Amino acid sequence: MRVGVIGAGRIGRMHARFIMENPEVKELVVADADAGRAEAVAKEVGGEARQIEETVSSGLDAVVIAASTSAHAGLVGMCLDAGLPTFCEKPVAAGYEETVGIARRVESSGTVLQVGFMRRFDPGYVEARRLISSGSVGTIYSIRLATHDYEPPPESYIPTSGGVFRDMHVHDFDALRFLTGGEVEEVYATGSVRKFPMFEKHSDVDTSAIMLTMADGVVAVATGTRQNALGYDVRTEVIGSDANLAIGFDSRVALRSTEPNHILAEKPGWSGFPERFEVAYRAEMDHFLRLATGEAENPCTARDSLEALRVAMAADLSRKERRPVKMEEIR
Ligand SMILES: NC(=O)c1ccc[n+]([C@@H]2O[C@H](COP(=O)([O-])OP(=O)(O)OC[C@H]3O[C@@H](n4cnc5c(N)ncnc54)[C@H](O)[C@@H]3O)[C@@H](O)[C@H]2O)c1
């Protein structure tokens, strides 16, 4: 296969490496608005650097978009016009209207677009979904999700991130839909600045909580912090009538038990998302290449991205207006 990567930053570099490790891939083209970055990544992984337009028009078998969020909608449009099977990092677009436009365009184009919600490929989440859909958990009562960054992002990242609900908790919102197969009906969100005043400067928070009621009555709570001294920490618990499940409780879990006979290993926590989700990112890229050749189904569509974005928008509105928001308000 001949594959392109557009956007050679943190995550584009990682995708480029995993693509080159796939035995089906014979050629990799790397492009970036900053030609120097494209060249550096191409050199590092054994690919070739080209201009963006040249990359899109060079008859590739598949393209991965990992550029900054503000560039996604335009780049996805170019790739769809060229009829290229496309992977786009989350979110497919910065705003609601653009995301709706892309979802409609993909659905009428016959071209595939996979979106990068990597938890859908994490072994813990995949097994939990299998157990839930097999009926082993029984009736789900509630779900607890926790997402804690190790270090806060640099201040320059905050105004372009879209805020904590769109940037960080959007993964929790997608995971909730992925695990249960259901939709969120109502959202109540709150947040505060506990330690890093830079978030306040940009109307954002470093500490957040969201209560989500699903259409079938399942109650979920997501909590988040932008810093956690013990490591990057993503966990989910599913509480059911027949079993409780714990995702992310492994030997690296960033928790210290206060019990004398605890069973938690005292290993260092994860350094960040690239390490915690490496297995998932690899599986995600391998899956996309099989999707591009027609051997696999699309595991995460533009519609999925739109629904996760709508929940994040409901959380923004809820925090702003200090009230529960019905999902039907977000259109
Ligand atoms: N799924 C995940 O877990 C995950 C994790 C991190 C980032 N992301 C997403 O990946 C995207 C990139 O994030 P990052 O952390 O790698 O950012 P980054 O800033 O490290 O890299 C972005 C790259 O895009 C390039 N770029 C900007 N505009 C461009 C354009 N018009 N055309 C081509 N290249 C362009 C920049 O020069 C830069 O090299 C973001 O949309 C982010 O939301 C997803």
Side-chain angles (χ1 to χ4, degrees):
M1 290 181 81
R2 299 175 61 238
V3 183
V5 171
I6 304 178
R10 276 188 312 173
I11 202 146
R13 182 169 160 248
M14 183 176 73
H15 287 321
R17 187 157 58 85
F18 296 156
I19 290 166
M20 280 307 266
E21 285 170 14
N22 186 305
E24 300 299 320
V25 175
K26 304 292 172 236
E27 189 183 328
L28 178 77
V29 178
V30 184
D32 194 288
D34 178 338
R37 282 196 181 196
E39 272 158 30
V41 169
K43 194 172 166 199
E44 183 185 320
V45 302
E48 189 190 328
R50 289 204 200 137
Q51 297 293 318
I52 295 165
E53 290 73 15
E54 206 189 335
T55 300
V56 175
S57 62
S58 59
L60 297 171
D61 298 304
V63 169
V64 170
I65 297 172
S68 314
T69 298
S70 56
H72 288 186
L75 290 169
V76 167
M78 277 172 76
C79 293
L80 292 180
D81 284 347
L84 285 172
T86 303
F87 175 96
C88 183
E89 259 310 332
K90 68 85 197 162
V92 285
Y96 177 75
E97 295 298 337
E98 275 179 323
T99 307
V100 171
I102 288 175
R104 289 199 180 127
R105 221 168 136 190
V106 174
E107 284 157 9
S108 62
S109 73
T111 309
V112 288
L113 174 68
Q114 179 180 331
V115 183
F117 281 107
M118 76 296 186
R119 290 191 199 176
R120 290 176 179 243
F121 291 91
D122 176 75
Y125 281 93
V126 170
E127 177 62 0
R129 178 175 147 113
R130 188 188 70 75
L131 289 170
I132 289 167
S133 51
S134 72
S136 308
V137 177
T139 300
I140 300 178
Y141 295 129
S142 60
I143 299 182
R144 282 198 289 262
L145 305 109
T147 299
H148 306 282
D149 277 338
Y150 179 34
E151 301 282 3
E155 182 168 352
S156 59
Y157 180 81
I158 302 170
T160 59
S161 70
V164 74
F165 302 122
R166 293 183 193 215
D167 185 50
M168 192 173 89
H169 287 299
V170 74
H171 286 286
D172 293 319
F173 306 148
D174 183 66
L176 202 51
R177 297 183 67 247
F178 172 70
L179 288 173
T180 63
E183 298 295 345
V184 174
E185 190 171 76
E186 189 181 80
V187 177
Y188 179 72
T190 186
S192 57
V193 176
R194 296 282 301 140
K195 194 170 163 69
F196 301 96
M198 64 181 178
F199 286 96
E200 194 147 28
K201 266 170 64 185
H202 302 286
S203 308
D204 202 358
V205 292
D206 60 18
T207 305
S208 45
I210 311 108
M211 190 177 289
L212 307 113
T213 309
M214 309 289 289
D216 61 2
V218 170
V219 175
V221 182
T223 59
T225 61
R226 280 303 202 174
Q227 186 262 340
N228 182 44
L230 296 182
Y232 177 76
D233 186 20
V234 173
R235 282 174 285 121
T236 300
E237 289 169 54
V238 181
I239 318 299
S241 58
D242 297 354
N244 296 346
L245 308 177
I247 304 163
F249 280 92
D250 64 3
S251 58
R252 303 281 301 268
V253 70
L255 283 177
R256 293 288 173 268
S257 173
T258 56
E259 300 298 334
N261 299 314
H262 70 80
I263 53 165
L264 294 179
E266 303 246 339
K267 284 193 189 170
W270 301 103
S271 59
F273 63 83
E275 192 190 26
R276 163 71 173 84
F277 287 110
E278 176 169 342
V279 171
Y281 288 121
R282 271 180 197 280
E284 181 182 60
M285 267 307 109
D286 288 347
H287 188 102
F288 169 60
L289 297 182
R290 292 197 299 114
L291 173 69
T293 53
E295 296 160 61
E297 297 287 311
N298 193 343
C300 190
T301 64
R303 273 292 148 191
D304 290 314
S305 182
L306 177 64
E307 289 311 316
L309 172 68
R310 288 180 67 234
V311 180
M313 291 168 69
D316 273 331
L317 184 62
S318 172
R319 182 172 83 85
K320 189 170 157 221
E321 298 190 354
R322 294 179 164 267
R323 65 174 178 91
V325 170
K326 292 266 183 215
M327 284 305 299
E328 64 210 26
E329 295 181 51
I330 311 297
R331 290 180 188 285

